[in-house]
Amino acid sequence: PPPGPGDADGKYAPGDLVEYFGASLNKWIPAKVLAANSDGTYDLDCKPRVLPNKIRWPATSGSGDLYKVGDLVEYYSASQSRWIPAKVIAATLRGTYDLDCKPDVTADKIRYPAETQLN
């Protein structure tokens, strides 16, 4: 996958959505970069001082993005405490989606409408 926004050498910036290899789970898990440290490690939302070889960009090749531009979806609005209709405007390099109602939304707050799954 491509490097993060504005960073051609593949380093990660605070706010980037990445995957972290959790040794105890023996699998890659979603994480968010909180800070880049002067010693070359990164503080993630799940673990501090992670070596760069334990971090990668989320895999999007093969299966492609979960949602495509133009898809009609539902977005979980925390302020309204309910799912609201939305449309995917863009998929970002950080692994998030820009919706017509909100930018930079993580995939866990998006779903296809129930009636789409019944057809």
Side-chain angles (χ1 to χ4, degrees):
D7 197 347
D9 60 5
K11 291 184 180 176
Y12 307 102
D16 283 348
L17 297 178
V18 297
E19 290 180 341
Y20 160 71
F21 189 78
S24 60
L25 299 172
N26 199 32
K27 69 177 188 174
W28 291 94
I29 56 174
K32 184 175 184 177
V33 177
L34 300 179
N37 301 309
S38 59
D39 63 1
T41 63
Y42 295 90
D43 290 348
L44 304 180
D45 59 353
C46 60
K47 186 176 178 89
R49 303 264 176 217
V50 177
L51 293 170
N53 65 350
K54 301 273 189 187
I55 304 172
R56 69 179 185 188
W57 294 107
T60 55
S61 58
S63 63
D65 289 326
L66 291 173
Y67 304 100
K68 306 272 186 259
V69 172
D71 281 355
L72 297 177
V73 296
E74 292 179 338
Y75 160 70
Y76 188 78
S77 169
S79 62
Q80 296 185 34
S81 298
R82 66 182 182 94
W83 292 92
I84 59 173
K87 184 176 182 179
V88 178
I89 305 281
T92 72
L93 288 175
R94 292 177 27 186
T96 61
Y97 297 89
D98 290 345
L99 304 180
D100 58 355
C101 61
K102 186 175 179 91
D104 206 30
V105 178
T106 55
D108 63 331
K109 293 189 171 153
I110 304 171
R111 70 179 185 189
Y112 283 109
E115 58 271 14
T116 302
Q117 298 166 357
L118 298 176
N119 292 342

